[in-house]
């Protein structure tokens, strides 16, 4: 591992250097040490360390503050480490999710001395695992002022296009009850699996909404993602559980989404097992408008959940903007087009400088 990163280097080389430092969730100390040391040695930013999260910021008294956030951890390596470059493509674990975005943030921190907005950089740990371990949650509890600003940019992969806001997500269990009996005398029981047929029919006939917010089309989804039931090969089952995941547009709250699902599955026992709110795009905010102008093109809706929702919950407009195709995240074939890394840095430099 290098002693330090050259924050003025080509951001593609910076990405490769980050990829070459393994940082599977829970094992981010080496990469956090490297990022912290590089920022302290090569910038005049205020730098703070919290666990394996590294924070840095300017304090220039600007009218607005922009928060840029990126996680340092990756999913487990899958025979895709270290990095390798083939022409205009960089391969390796984390190239997309999201060390390309981290490299863009580091290059911005190392090369823009007098930004027109105050900047906060958050390089955090444990994003790829259960939410309770997410470094942003710890920072929100212990150092909340470091997450405050007028716009948050989460540099998750977005094909170098601004993806505004994000969908909310809720998972529920739809449960039926029956009565056990021997299958040779099935009329003496009530089959809980058979009773789930109507719920599955409602799902099959369901037509999700597409909601336009700030010119971004949020396409909702409702899918069965699991079903369990059965006791033994000769027993009428007395319980069946259908797990359903609903991805909802950010004009709905988790409570709205829950009420919608309870109405859809009226007559069934419904239990919420997990939910997270979405994030409105907030593209009318002044700083967000400036970013859209710098990027050009048309922002699109984020069809999924990301940590922009955490910033939106703090009352900030938030967008995703980073290099890489998100459909390649977590795959063995993870790779990023090098021109996307350079484009993201170019856009953010134009925006802040």
């Amino acid at each position: 591992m290098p002693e330090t990163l050259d924050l003025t280097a080509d951001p593609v080389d910076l990405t490769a250097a980050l990829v070459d430092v393994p940082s599977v969730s829970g094992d981010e100390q080496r990469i956090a040490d490297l990022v912290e040391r590089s920022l302290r040695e090569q910038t005049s930013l205020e730098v703070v360390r919290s666990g394996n999260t590294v924070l840095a910021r300017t304090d220039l008294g600007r009218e607005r503050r922009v928060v840029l956030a990126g996680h340092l951890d990756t999913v487990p390596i899958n025979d895709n480490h270290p990095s390798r470059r083939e022409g205009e493509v960089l391969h390796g674990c984390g190239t997309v999710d999201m060390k390309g975005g981290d490299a863009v943030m580091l290059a911005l921190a190392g090369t823009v001395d007098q930004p027109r907005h105050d900047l906060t950089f958050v390089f955090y740990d444990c994003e790829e695992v259960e939410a309770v371990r997410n470094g942003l949650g710890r920072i929100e509890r212990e150092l909340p002022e470091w997450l405050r600003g007028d716009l948050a940019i989460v540099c998750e992969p977005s094909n170098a296009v601004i993806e505004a806001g994000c969908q909310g997500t809720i998972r529920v269990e739809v449960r039926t009850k029956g009565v056990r009996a021997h299958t040779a005398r099935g009329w003496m029981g009530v089959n809980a699996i058979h009773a789930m047929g109507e719920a599955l029919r409602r799902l099959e006939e369901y037509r999700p909404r597409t909601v336009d917010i700030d010119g971004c089309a949020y396409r909702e989804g409702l899918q069965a993602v699991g079903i369990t039931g059965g006791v033994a090969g000769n027993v009428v089952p007395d319980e069946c559980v259908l797990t359903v995941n609903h991805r909802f547009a950010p004009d709905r709250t988790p409570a709205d989404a829950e009420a919608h699902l309870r109405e859809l599955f009226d007559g069934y026992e419904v239990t919420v097992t997990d939910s997270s709110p979405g994030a409105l795009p907030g593209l009318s905010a002044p700083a967000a408008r400036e970013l859209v102008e710098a990027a050009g093109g048309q922002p699109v809706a984020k069809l999924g959940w990301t940590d922009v929702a955490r910033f939106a919950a703090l009352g900030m407009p938030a967008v995703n903007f980073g290099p890489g195709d998100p459909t390649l995240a977590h795959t063995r074939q993870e790779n990023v087009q090098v021109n996307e890394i350079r484009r993201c840095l170019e856009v953010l430099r134009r925006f802040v400088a």
Side-chain angles (χ1 to χ4, degrees), residues 212-230:
D212 187 283
I213 306 173
D214 285 354
C216 298
Y218 292 88
R219 182 176 177 179
E220 296 188 327
L222 184 67
Q223 293 289 321
V225 294
I227 190 165
T228 60

Side-chain angles (χ1 to χ4, degrees), residues 45 58 60 62 112-119 121 351-353:
L45 300 171
T58 64
L60 303 172
R62 303 295 195 244
V112 178
D113 294 328
Q114 292 293 321
R116 62 194 180 103
H117 302 302
D118 269 313
L119 302 178
F121 299 92
F351 168 55
V352 303

Side-chain angles (χ1 to χ4, degrees), residues 129-132 167-174 222 225 242-248 253-255 257-259 261-262 270-278 305 310:
V129 288
E130 56 270 27
V132 70
Q167 293 172 309
T169 180
I170 183 170
R171 274 186 292 275
V172 300
E173 291 181 345
V174 180
L222 184 67
V225 294
L242 175 68
T243 302
V244 177
N245 182 214
H246 180 34
R247 298 297 177 122
F248 55 91
T253 67
E258 179 182 348
L261 294 182
R262 290 191 183 280
V270 176
T271 304
V272 176
T273 59
D274 180 56
S275 71
S276 295
W305 189 94
R310 294 178 180 270

Side-chain angles (χ1 to χ4, degrees), residues 92-346:
C93 182
T95 49
V96 170
D97 192 12
M98 57 170 291
K99 291 182 177 180
D102 292 328
V104 169
M105 291 168 55
L106 285 168
L108 196 67
T111 58
V112 178
D113 294 328
Q114 292 293 321
R116 62 194 180 103
H117 302 302
D118 269 313
L119 302 178
T120 301
F121 299 92
V122 183
F123 300 91
Y124 61 103
D125 57 330
C126 287
E127 189 272 348
E128 298 289 8
V129 288
E130 56 270 27
V132 70
R133 295 173 59 190
N134 189 304
L136 284 182
R138 184 179 66 255
I139 300 305
E140 185 177 354
R141 293 189 301 272
E142 299 176 1
L143 299 165
E145 70 279 4
W146 280 84
L147 300 183
R148 304 295 179 184
D150 300 283
L151 173 69
I153 304 172
V154 179
C155 295
E156 287 273 8
S158 66
N159 292 300
V161 172
I162 293 175
E163 293 184 329
C166 72
Q167 293 172 309
T169 180
I170 183 170
R171 274 186 292 275
V172 300
E173 291 181 345
V174 180
R175 183 173 275 99
T176 56
K177 298 290 187 179
V179 177
R180 291 191 190 188
H182 196 293
T183 52
R185 296 175 290 279
W187 65 87
M188 299 180 65
V190 177
N191 194 307
I193 294 178
H194 293 182
M196 194 61 78
E198 171 62 18
L200 291 169
R201 184 190 64 78
R202 294 179 194 179
L203 271 176
E204 187 176 16
E205 295 179 354
Y206 184 82
R207 296 296 177 264
R209 301 186 306 159
T210 297
V211 182
D212 187 283
I213 306 173
D214 285 354
C216 298
Y218 292 88
R219 182 176 177 179
E220 296 188 327
L222 184 67
Q223 293 289 321
V225 294
I227 190 165
T228 60
V231 180
N234 59 354
V235 178
V236 174
D238 60 348
E239 182 177 74
C240 182
V241 179
L242 175 68
T243 302
V244 177
N245 182 214
H246 180 34
R247 298 297 177 122
F248 55 91
D251 65 332
R252 279 179 168 161
T253 67
D256 294 334
E258 179 182 348
H260 176 61
L261 294 182
R262 290 191 183 280
E263 179 181 4
L264 177 67
F265 295 111
D266 183 44
Y268 289 89
E269 179 184 338
V270 176
T271 304
V272 176
T273 59
D274 180 56
S275 71
S276 295
L280 290 165
L283 295 180
S284 60
R289 288 201 306 268
E290 292 176 12
L291 176 61
V292 170
E293 182 179 349
Q298 174 62 41
V300 299
K302 178 63 178 179
L303 301 182
W305 189 94
T306 72
D307 279 324
V308 298
R310 294 178 180 270
F311 291 100
L314 298 175
M316 300 164 57
V319 302
N320 303 274
F321 182 63
D325 180 352
T327 65
L328 293 173
H330 301 187
T331 69
R332 183 179 179 182
Q333 297 76 31
E334 191 172 355
N335 67 81
V336 63
Q337 298 286 330
V338 299
N339 66 307
E340 289 195 7
I341 299 173
R342 294 181 179 132
R343 167 172 160 71
C344 286
L345 179 56
E346 176 188 348

Side-chain angles (χ1 to χ4, degrees), residues 51-66:
N52 288 326
T53 291
V54 181
L55 307 109
R57 66 184 175 187
T58 64
D59 188 12
L60 303 172
R62 303 295 195 244
E63 181 181 358
R64 300 189 183 99
R65 178 173 291 277
V66 175

